[in-house]
Amino acid sequence: MKAFYPKKKLMNESKGEQVVAELRMRIISREIKAGTVLSENQLGSLFQVSRSPVREALRVLANENLVRPERMGAVVVGMSEKSIEEIYDIRLMIESFTFERLLKMQTDTLVQELKKMVEMMKIAIKYQDVDQFSFLDIEFHETIIQSIDHHHIKMLWNNLKPVLECLIILSMRYRMMTNEKDFERILYNHELIVEAIDKKEKEMVDLAFERNFHDVQNQVEDLWIEEEIMKTVREYSVKE
């Protein structure tokens, strides 16, 4: 079975984590269509695991509203364009709140961490490892969010992260396939975020914030509406 979720990210994870990550990616990338009936026995055979990790995976996906539980299995709900917009709305709320808090905080250590991450992102793109770039991108924003030490904001982020991660992986693969030079702009946006946090200038923070989220929400629309594009993107293999 060809894996659509990056295998190297799952090397040290349990069978249950591997099943849920791959199923989530298959549902979000529409390899498994909305309305598809998933049985525990069928999935156990597909992933070569017992029913226990399958049952746990379906429970997690039900909590993410990607499937609807049924007796001995589930029905795929899928991911609509409206759902994607709502996920980015929540992300915008989380990071907007976080940036406002950072304007009043000591951020020297955070800035140094973020600069190192940006350099690692540059290396990932140099070697065309777009999935590694995606994971670093998520880590970059997660580091910013965690830095304000707000328990309920962390809870919101942790609930959002698994689905958001898949959306980011797919969108970055699409960019790599269609316009590799676009990563120069993405990296510049991240450098602008770091500079804005470092200088604590409200106008610069607003500019960095607006550029990053405008790009995220408006640059990859074709991916979510064209089935042939999505098929190519989900089957995209990074260079080892």
Side-chain angles (χ1 to χ4, degrees), residues 8 10 15 17 55 59 74 77 90 102 106 109 113 124 157-158 161 165 173 183 202 229 240:
K8 62 184 178 183
L10 299 173
K15 286 290 186 182
E17 289 292 334
R55 195 176 298 120
R59 184 193 66 77
V77 174
I90 297 300
L102 285 173
Q106 171 57 250
T109 300
E113 288 182 49
W157 171 258
N158 289 334
K161 181 182 174 181
E165 180 182 79
R173 287 178 182 177
F183 284 94
K202 183 68 166 60
I229 293 176
E240 297 295 338

Coordinates of all heavy atoms in Angstrom, one line a residue, residues 8 10 15 17 55 59 74 77 90 102 106 109 113 124 157-158 161 165 173 183 202 229 240:
K8 N 8.5 8.8 7.1 CA 9.6 9.0 8.1 C 9.1 9.7 9.4 O 9.7 9.6 10.4 CB 10.7 9.9 7.5 CG 10.3 11.3 7.0 CD 11.4 12.0 6.3 CE 11.0 13.4 5.8 NZ 12.1 14.0 5.1
L10 N 6.5 8.8 10.9 CA 5.8 7.8 11.7 C 6.7 6.7 12.2 O 6.2 5.7 12.8 CB 4.6 7.2 10.9 CG 3.6 8.2 10.5 CD1 2.6 7.6 9.5 CD2 2.9 8.8 11.7
K15 N 1.3 1.6 16.1 CA 0.4 1.2 15.0 C -0.8 2.0 14.9 O -1.2 2.4 13.8 CB 0.0 -0.3 15.1 CG 1.1 -1.3 14.9 CD 1.5 -1.3 13.4 CE 2.5 -2.4 13.1 NZ 3.0 -2.4 11.7
E17 N -1.2 5.2 15.8 CA -0.8 6.5 15.3 C -0.6 6.4 13.8 O -0.9 7.4 13.1 CB 0.4 7.0 16.0 CG 0.2 7.4 17.5 CD -0.7 8.7 17.6 OE1 -0.8 9.5 16.6 OE2 -1.4 8.8 18.6
R55 N -10.0 0.7 15.6 CA -11.1 1.3 16.4 C -10.6 2.6 17.0 O -11.4 3.6 17.0 CB -11.5 0.3 17.5 CG -12.8 0.6 18.1 CD -13.3 -0.4 19.1 NE -13.4 -1.7 18.5 CZ -12.7 -2.8 18.8 NH1 -11.8 -2.8 19.7 NH2 -13.0 -3.9 18.2
R59 N -12.0 6.5 16.2 CA -12.5 7.4 17.3 C -11.9 8.7 17.2 O -12.6 9.8 17.3 CB -12.1 6.7 18.7 CG -12.7 7.5 19.9 CD -12.1 7.1 21.2 NE -10.6 7.4 21.2 CZ -10.1 8.6 21.5 NH1 -10.9 9.6 21.7 NH2 -8.8 8.7 21.5
A74 N -17.3 3.1 10.3 CA -17.6 4.5 10.2 C -17.9 4.8 8.8 O -17.5 4.1 7.8 CB -16.4 5.3 10.7
V77 N -17.0 11.4 6.4 CA -17.7 12.7 6.2 C -16.9 13.6 5.2 O -17.4 14.3 4.4 CB -17.7 13.5 7.6 CG1 -18.3 14.9 7.4 CG2 -18.6 12.7 8.5
I90 N -9.9 29.5 12.6 CA -9.5 29.3 13.9 C -8.0 29.5 14.1 O -7.5 30.1 15.1 CB -9.8 27.8 14.3 CG1 -11.3 27.6 14.3 CG2 -9.3 27.5 15.7 CD1 -12.1 28.5 15.3
L102 N 2.7 38.6 22.4 CA 4.2 38.7 22.2 C 4.7 40.1 22.2 O 5.8 40.4 22.6 CB 4.6 38.0 20.9 CG 4.5 36.5 20.9 CD1 4.8 35.9 19.5 CD2 5.5 35.9 21.9
Q106 N 9.1 39.3 26.7 CA 10.6 39.2 26.4 C 10.7 38.0 25.4 O 10.3 36.9 25.7 CB 11.3 38.9 27.7 CG 12.8 38.5 27.4 CD 13.6 39.6 26.7 OE1 13.9 39.4 25.5 NE2 13.8 40.8 27.3
T109 N 15.0 34.8 23.4 CA 15.2 33.4 23.2 C 14.3 32.8 22.1 O 14.8 32.0 21.3 CB 14.9 32.6 24.5 OG1 15.7 33.1 25.6 CG2 15.1 31.1 24.4
E113 N 15.4 30.9 18.5 CA 14.9 29.6 18.1 C 14.3 29.7 16.7 O 14.5 28.8 15.8 CB 13.8 29.1 19.1 CG 14.4 28.7 20.4 CD 13.2 28.2 21.3 OE1 12.4 27.4 20.8 OE2 13.2 28.6 22.5
A124 N 15.8 22.5 3.9 CA 14.8 21.5 3.4 C 14.5 21.9 1.9 O 14.4 21.0 1.1 CB 13.6 21.6 4.3
W157 N -4.9 24.8 19.7 CA -3.9 24.4 18.7 C -3.7 22.9 18.6 O -3.7 22.4 17.5 CB -2.6 25.1 19.1 CG -1.4 24.6 18.2 CD1 -0.5 23.7 18.5 CD2 -1.2 25.0 16.8 NE1 0.4 23.5 17.5 CE2 0.0 24.3 16.4 CE3 -1.8 25.9 16.0 CZ2 0.5 24.4 15.2 CZ3 -1.2 26.0 14.7 CH2 -0.1 25.3 14.3
N158 N -3.6 22.2 19.7 CA -3.4 20.8 19.7 C -4.6 20.1 19.0 O -4.4 19.0 18.3 CB -3.2 20.2 21.1 CG -1.8 20.6 21.6 OD1 -0.9 20.9 20.9 ND2 -1.7 20.7 22.9
K161 N -4.2 21.0 15.1 CA -2.9 20.6 14.5 C -3.0 19.4 13.5 O -2.4 19.5 12.4 CB -1.8 20.5 15.5 CG -0.5 20.1 14.9 CD 0.6 19.9 16.0 CE 1.9 19.4 15.5 NZ 2.9 19.2 16.6
E165 N -2.0 20.1 9.8 CA -0.8 19.5 9.3 C -1.0 18.9 7.9 O -0.2 19.1 7.0 CB -0.3 18.4 10.2 CG 1.0 17.7 9.8 CD 1.4 16.7 10.8 OE1 0.8 15.6 10.8 OE2 2.3 17.0 11.7
R173 N 3.3 20.7 -1.1 CA 3.6 19.8 -2.2 C 3.1 20.4 -3.5 O 3.8 20.4 -4.5 CB 2.9 18.4 -2.0 CG 3.5 17.5 -1.0 CD 2.8 16.3 -0.8 NE 3.3 15.4 0.2 CZ 2.7 14.2 0.5 NH1 1.6 13.8 0.0 NH2 3.3 13.5 1.5
F183 N 8.7 29.4 -2.8 CA 9.2 29.2 -1.5 C 10.1 30.3 -1.0 O 10.3 30.6 0.2 CB 10.0 27.9 -1.4 CG 9.0 26.7 -1.3 CD1 8.7 26.0 -2.5 CD2 8.5 26.3 -0.1 CE1 7.8 24.9 -2.4 CE2 7.6 25.2 -0.1 CZ 7.2 24.5 -1.2
K202 N 4.2 47.2 16.1 CA 2.9 46.8 15.8 C 2.6 46.7 14.3 O 2.0 45.8 13.8 CB 1.9 47.7 16.5 CG 0.4 47.3 16.4 CD 0.1 46.0 17.1 CE -1.4 45.8 17.1 NZ -2.1 45.7 15.9
I229 N -5.7 17.5 -9.9 CA -4.5 18.2 -9.2 C -4.3 17.5 -7.9 O -3.2 17.2 -7.5 CB -4.8 19.7 -9.0 CG1 -4.8 20.4 -10.4 CG2 -3.8 20.3 -8.1 CD1 -5.2 21.9 -10.3
E240 N 14.4 11.3 -1.5 CA 15.0 10.8 -0.3 C 16.4 11.3 -0.1 O 17.1 11.6 -1.0 CB 15.0 9.2 -0.4 CG 13.6 8.6 -0.5 CD 12.8 8.8 0.8 OE1 13.3 9.1 1.9 OE2 11.5 8.8 0.7

